[in-house]
Short mmCIF file of all heavy atoms in Angstrom, two decimals:
data_model
loop_
_atom_site.label_atom_id
_atom_site.label_comp_id
_atom_site.label_asym_id
_atom_site.label_seq_id
_atom_site.Cartn_x
_atom_site.Cartn_y
_atom_site.Cartn_z
N VAL A 108 44.97 -47.27 -85.61
CA VAL A 108 44.62 -48.67 -85.91
C VAL A 108 44.40 -48.82 -87.41
O VAL A 108 44.87 -49.78 -88.05
CB VAL A 108 43.36 -49.11 -85.14
CG1 VAL A 108 42.84 -50.45 -85.64
CG2 VAL A 108 43.66 -49.16 -83.64
N PHE A 109 43.71 -47.85 -88.03
CA PHE A 109 43.47 -47.88 -89.46
C PHE A 109 44.78 -47.81 -90.23
O PHE A 109 44.96 -48.51 -91.24
CB PHE A 109 42.56 -46.69 -89.85
CG PHE A 109 42.26 -46.60 -91.32
CD1 PHE A 109 41.33 -47.46 -91.91
CD2 PHE A 109 42.84 -45.63 -92.10
CE1 PHE A 109 41.03 -47.36 -93.25
CE2 PHE A 109 42.53 -45.53 -93.45
CZ PHE A 109 41.63 -46.40 -94.03
N ASP A 110 45.72 -47.02 -89.76
CA ASP A 110 47.01 -46.82 -90.47
C ASP A 110 47.89 -48.08 -90.39
O ASP A 110 48.50 -48.46 -91.37
CB ASP A 110 47.75 -45.62 -89.86
CG ASP A 110 49.05 -45.34 -90.57
OD1 ASP A 110 48.99 -44.88 -91.73
OD2 ASP A 110 50.10 -45.59 -89.98
N GLU A 111 47.99 -48.68 -89.25
CA GLU A 111 48.71 -49.93 -88.99
C GLU A 111 50.24 -49.86 -89.06
O GLU A 111 50.92 -50.77 -88.64
CB GLU A 111 48.23 -51.06 -89.93
CG GLU A 111 46.81 -51.46 -89.73
CD GLU A 111 46.36 -52.59 -90.63
OE1 GLU A 111 47.14 -53.00 -91.53
OE2 GLU A 111 45.24 -53.07 -90.46
N SER A 112 50.81 -48.81 -89.63
CA SER A 112 52.28 -48.72 -89.71
C SER A 112 52.78 -47.62 -88.77
O SER A 112 52.44 -46.45 -88.96
CB SER A 112 52.70 -48.40 -91.16
OG SER A 112 54.08 -48.19 -91.23
N PRO A 113 53.62 -47.96 -87.79
CA PRO A 113 54.05 -46.96 -86.83
C PRO A 113 55.03 -45.92 -87.38
O PRO A 113 55.12 -44.83 -86.87
CB PRO A 113 54.70 -47.78 -85.72
CG PRO A 113 55.09 -49.06 -86.37
CD PRO A 113 54.09 -49.31 -87.46
N ALA A 114 55.73 -46.24 -88.46
CA ALA A 114 56.73 -45.28 -89.01
C ALA A 114 56.02 -44.07 -89.60
O ALA A 114 55.16 -44.20 -90.47
CB ALA A 114 57.57 -45.96 -90.08
N ASN A 115 56.34 -42.88 -89.08
CA ASN A 115 55.79 -41.62 -89.55
C ASN A 115 54.26 -41.57 -89.46
O ASN A 115 53.62 -40.84 -90.23
CB ASN A 115 56.24 -41.32 -90.97
CG ASN A 115 57.73 -41.23 -91.08
OD1 ASN A 115 58.37 -40.54 -90.29
ND2 ASN A 115 58.31 -41.97 -92.01
N GLN A 116 53.71 -42.31 -88.54
CA GLN A 116 52.25 -42.41 -88.45
C GLN A 116 51.57 -41.07 -88.17
O GLN A 116 50.57 -40.72 -88.80
CB GLN A 116 51.89 -43.42 -87.35
CG GLN A 116 50.44 -43.79 -87.31
CD GLN A 116 50.18 -44.88 -86.30
OE1 GLN A 116 50.51 -44.73 -85.13
NE2 GLN A 116 49.65 -45.99 -86.77
N ASN A 117 52.11 -40.30 -87.24
CA ASN A 117 51.48 -39.02 -86.90
C ASN A 117 51.43 -38.08 -88.10
O ASN A 117 50.44 -37.40 -88.32
CB ASN A 117 52.19 -38.35 -85.73
CG ASN A 117 51.89 -39.03 -84.41
OD1 ASN A 117 51.08 -39.95 -84.34
ND2 ASN A 117 52.56 -38.59 -83.37
N ALA A 118 52.48 -38.06 -88.90
CA ALA A 118 52.50 -37.22 -90.11
C ALA A 118 51.41 -37.63 -91.08
O ALA A 118 50.72 -36.78 -91.66
CB ALA A 118 53.87 -37.26 -90.77
N ARG A 119 51.21 -38.94 -91.23
CA ARG A 119 50.17 -39.38 -92.17
C ARG A 119 48.78 -39.07 -91.60
O ARG A 119 47.89 -38.69 -92.35
CB ARG A 119 50.31 -40.90 -92.42
CG ARG A 119 51.47 -41.21 -93.38
CD ARG A 119 51.42 -42.65 -93.85
NE ARG A 119 51.46 -43.59 -92.74
CZ ARG A 119 52.56 -43.97 -92.11
NH1 ARG A 119 53.73 -43.48 -92.49
NH2 ARG A 119 52.50 -44.85 -91.14
N ILE A 120 48.61 -39.23 -90.30
CA ILE A 120 47.31 -38.92 -89.71
C ILE A 120 47.00 -37.43 -89.84
O ILE A 120 45.89 -37.04 -90.18
CB ILE A 120 47.22 -39.41 -88.25
CG1 ILE A 120 47.23 -40.95 -88.23
CG2 ILE A 120 45.99 -38.87 -87.55
CD1 ILE A 120 47.38 -41.57 -86.86
N LEU A 121 48.02 -36.59 -89.58
CA LEU A 121 47.82 -35.15 -89.76
C LEU A 121 47.45 -34.83 -91.20
O LEU A 121 46.55 -34.01 -91.45
CB LEU A 121 49.08 -34.38 -89.35
CG LEU A 121 49.32 -34.24 -87.87
CD1 LEU A 121 50.71 -33.70 -87.58
CD2 LEU A 121 48.26 -33.35 -87.22
N GLN A 122 48.16 -35.44 -92.13
CA GLN A 122 47.85 -35.19 -93.55
C GLN A 122 46.44 -35.63 -93.87
O GLN A 122 45.70 -34.94 -94.59
CB GLN A 122 48.84 -35.92 -94.43
CG GLN A 122 48.61 -35.67 -95.91
CD GLN A 122 49.58 -36.41 -96.81
OE1 GLN A 122 50.50 -37.07 -96.35
NE2 GLN A 122 49.36 -36.32 -98.10
N SER A 123 46.00 -36.76 -93.34
CA SER A 123 44.66 -37.23 -93.65
C SER A 123 43.58 -36.33 -93.03
O SER A 123 42.54 -36.08 -93.63
CB SER A 123 44.47 -38.69 -93.21
OG SER A 123 44.54 -38.81 -91.82
N LEU A 124 43.85 -35.81 -91.83
CA LEU A 124 42.90 -34.90 -91.20
C LEU A 124 42.83 -33.58 -92.00
O LEU A 124 41.75 -33.01 -92.18
CB LEU A 124 43.26 -34.65 -89.74
CG LEU A 124 43.11 -35.87 -88.82
CD1 LEU A 124 43.62 -35.53 -87.43
CD2 LEU A 124 41.68 -36.36 -88.79
N LYS A 125 43.97 -33.11 -92.49
CA LYS A 125 43.99 -31.91 -93.31
C LYS A 125 43.19 -32.15 -94.59
O LYS A 125 42.39 -31.32 -95.02
CB LYS A 125 45.42 -31.51 -93.65
CG LYS A 125 45.53 -30.26 -94.50
CD LYS A 125 46.99 -29.87 -94.73
CE LYS A 125 47.07 -28.58 -95.52
NZ LYS A 125 48.45 -28.15 -95.69
N GLN A 126 43.41 -33.30 -95.23
CA GLN A 126 42.68 -33.65 -96.43
C GLN A 126 41.18 -33.69 -96.15
O GLN A 126 40.36 -33.22 -96.95
CB GLN A 126 43.15 -35.02 -96.94
CG GLN A 126 42.41 -35.53 -98.16
CD GLN A 126 42.96 -35.00 -99.44
OE1 GLN A 126 43.99 -34.36 -99.47
NE2 GLN A 126 42.23 -35.26 -100.52
N ALA A 127 40.80 -34.24 -94.99
CA ALA A 127 39.38 -34.33 -94.64
C ALA A 127 38.78 -32.94 -94.51
O ALA A 127 37.70 -32.67 -95.03
CB ALA A 127 39.22 -35.13 -93.34
N VAL A 128 39.48 -32.06 -93.79
CA VAL A 128 38.95 -30.69 -93.59
C VAL A 128 38.84 -29.95 -94.92
O VAL A 128 37.90 -29.18 -95.13
CB VAL A 128 39.84 -29.92 -92.58
CG1 VAL A 128 39.48 -28.45 -92.54
CG2 VAL A 128 39.71 -30.56 -91.19
N GLN A 129 39.79 -30.19 -95.81
CA GLN A 129 39.79 -29.50 -97.09
C GLN A 129 38.72 -30.01 -98.06
O GLN A 129 38.26 -29.27 -98.93
CB GLN A 129 41.15 -29.61 -97.75
CG GLN A 129 42.22 -28.80 -97.08
CD GLN A 129 43.59 -29.00 -97.69
OE1 GLN A 129 43.86 -30.04 -98.29
NE2 GLN A 129 44.47 -28.03 -97.51
N THR A 130 38.35 -31.28 -97.95
CA THR A 130 37.51 -31.88 -98.99
C THR A 130 36.11 -32.34 -98.51
O THR A 130 35.28 -32.65 -99.35
CB THR A 130 38.21 -33.10 -99.63
OG1 THR A 130 38.44 -34.11 -98.62
CG2 THR A 130 39.52 -32.69 -100.28
N LEU A 131 35.92 -32.40 -97.21
CA LEU A 131 34.64 -32.90 -96.68
C LEU A 131 34.02 -31.87 -95.75
O LEU A 131 34.71 -31.00 -95.24
CB LEU A 131 34.87 -34.22 -95.94
CG LEU A 131 35.54 -35.34 -96.74
CD1 LEU A 131 35.97 -36.48 -95.82
CD2 LEU A 131 34.62 -35.85 -97.84
N SER A 132 32.75 -31.99 -95.50
CA SER A 132 32.10 -31.04 -94.61
C SER A 132 31.95 -31.64 -93.21
O SER A 132 31.73 -32.85 -93.07
CB SER A 132 30.73 -30.64 -95.16
OG SER A 132 29.89 -31.76 -95.24
N PHE A 133 32.08 -30.78 -92.21
CA PHE A 133 31.97 -31.20 -90.81
C PHE A 133 31.16 -30.18 -90.04
O PHE A 133 31.15 -28.99 -90.38
CB PHE A 133 33.38 -31.31 -90.18
CG PHE A 133 34.22 -32.38 -90.75
CD1 PHE A 133 35.12 -32.11 -91.79
CD2 PHE A 133 34.15 -33.68 -90.28
CE1 PHE A 133 35.90 -33.11 -92.34
CE2 PHE A 133 34.92 -34.68 -90.83
CZ PHE A 133 35.80 -34.40 -91.86
#
């Protein structure tokens, strides 16, 4: 929903989750 664009959406979500794991604490 946040992304809003269906083209290559999964790749962008994967990239954002990778970025989150690399830069933020969980």
Side-chain angles (χ1 to χ4, degrees):
V108 170
F109 179 76
D110 182 70
E111 296 181 353
S112 175
N115 301 310
Q116 190 174 58
N117 287 355
R119 285 191 303 280
I120 292 171
L121 284 169
Q122 182 181 355
S123 65
L124 293 175
K125 181 176 182 177
Q126 177 84 9
V128 169
Q129 289 176 335
T130 62
L131 304 169
S132 62
F133 294 94

